[in-house]
Amino acid sequence: MAASSLLPSSSSSSSSLRLYRALPSPCRRHQAAPVRAFSAPAALTQDDLKKLAAIKAVEYVSSGMVIGLGTGSTAAFVVAEIGTLLSSGKLTNIVGVPTSKRTYEQALSLGIPLSTLDEHPRIDLAIDGADEVDPDLNLVKGRGGALLREKMVEAASGKFVVVVDETKLVSGLGGSGLAMPVEVVQFCWKYNLTRLQGLFEEEGCEAKLRLGDDGKPYVTDNSNYIVDLYFMTPIKDAIAAGKKISALEGVVEHGLFLDMATAVIIAGKDGVTVKAK
């Protein structure tokens, strides 16, 4: 799909974003896809830049769409912008499919009509954040704990637009040294933690059960636990890693979102850029 066909028209919400140059894409498999950059006012905070990127992402939304609503701090800006456009009448006939209980509550408070995959098994567009993005637009997601519902909704979407800040860019997945989550059933979780760590001994992987603020095991919206994998070096073969993880009995889902993103909108100190396949 040509990148030019993926870029939406400008809206009044993003009038502060100005197209000023096209850069060659760093993606190894997508050298022909341009990167479009948008200038931003000086002295903006990271949250300001995330909000600008979220506004840019919402330009992909058209009236009448079924939208997958992501989870996390950046996705919350997206949900808020959709709510604003709905209340002003600039968007109409939108249906949102939330990826977590907290996104459901936020969207409901903003008056966004909501549904589920049961009622809308085909979603027009999903917008969400990510914890890591590699040069091929593969992702690590799920540090917010919603990886299973996120993957279900985003896999059912015709387009998947990701919004991140530039600190989330890595040369290889797992390269940030932060958690790559795996959702597991509570039954014999320690057994699976040991097996998960053993899969990636060469990468110096350490597996830890995620704990909540109360010091007890974190429980997902689906009543499962999360084992976080921490890599000393990037994952060598993410596709193979995903298959190995999924093959373990008791594993529900992993946070490797591979070949799913249509476009990634990146907020950085120089403004907002769009990388598209």
Side-chain angles (χ1 to χ4, degrees):
M1 183 180 294
S4 58
S5 66
L6 299 174
L7 290 173
S9 59
S10 297
S11 71
S12 58
S13 298
S14 60
S15 58
S16 61
L17 302 179
R18 177 173 59 86
L19 179 63
Y20 71 92
R21 60 193 174 117
L23 302 174
S25 171
C27 300
R28 291 188 292 273
R29 292 203 301 263
H30 311 292
Q31 290 294 330
V35 178
R36 289 170 166 80
F38 301 83
S39 63
L44 293 179
T45 66
Q46 189 173 44
D47 276 352
D48 290 332
L49 287 170
K50 286 182 179 181
K51 186 173 182 180
L52 284 174
I55 290 171
K56 187 62 189 173
V58 175
E59 291 184 10
Y60 286 79
V61 179
S62 300
S63 294
M65 278 187 169
V66 179
I67 308 296
L69 303 176
T71 297
S73 60
T74 306
F77 286 123
V78 172
V79 176
E81 177 67 7
I82 292 173
T84 297
L85 294 175
L86 274 173
S87 64
S88 68
K90 293 179 180 178
L91 282 177
T92 59
N93 195 29
I94 292 294
V95 175
V97 178
T99 56
S100 66
K101 291 179 180 177
R102 59 185 179 275
T103 297
Y104 171 88
E105 291 168 356
Q106 181 195 10
L108 194 66
S109 72
L110 295 170
I112 300 174
L114 298 176
S115 188
T116 66
L117 280 175
D118 289 334
E119 298 297 326
H120 292 88
R122 183 61 179 170
I123 295 173
D124 297 302
L125 168 70
I127 306 176
D128 203 352
D131 300 307
E132 293 183 2
V133 181
D134 79 3
D136 293 323
L137 308 190
N138 292 313
L139 317 170
V140 167
K141 288 177 51 57
R143 289 180 193 149
L147 61 154
L148 173 59
R149 296 190 186 189
E150 287 173 340
K151 188 171 283 189
M152 290 177 69
V153 169
E154 288 148 14
S157 301
K159 292 182 180 180
F160 175 29
V161 175
V162 179
V163 184
V164 297
D165 65 79
E166 63 185 357
T167 64
K168 306 299 174 62
L169 303 181
V170 295
S171 59
L173 298 183
S176 69
L178 301 176
M180 198 290 283
V182 180
E183 187 163 344
V184 301
V185 298
Q186 293 190 32
F187 175 74
C188 294
W189 63 265
K190 189 178 295 185
Y191 166 71
N192 270 324
L193 182 150
T194 301
R195 294 203 293 172
L196 286 165
Q197 181 165 305
L199 286 179
F200 303 106
E201 288 180 336
E202 292 185 5
E203 286 87 352
C205 176
E206 182 178 8
K208 295 182 179 180
L209 180 69
R210 184 178 298 187
L211 303 178
D213 294 336
D214 58 2
K216 297 179 181 179
Y218 176 89
V219 178
T220 70
D221 285 349
N222 313 291
S223 300
N224 296 311
Y225 285 170
I226 288 181
V227 173
D228 287 319
L229 304 183
Y230 296 86
F231 294 89
M232 295 294 292
T233 60
I235 299 169
K236 295 177 181 179
D237 185 336
I239 294 176
K243 291 179 179 178
K244 288 180 181 179
I245 294 170
S246 295
L248 297 180
E249 302 82 6
V251 165
V252 179
E253 191 52 83
H254 56 75
L256 297 172
F257 284 54
L258 308 176
D259 198 27
M260 292 179 64
T262 303
V264 177
I265 300 174
I266 305 160
K269 60 185 178 181
D270 296 325
V272 177
T273 59
V274 180
K275 296 183 180 180
K277 292 184 178 180

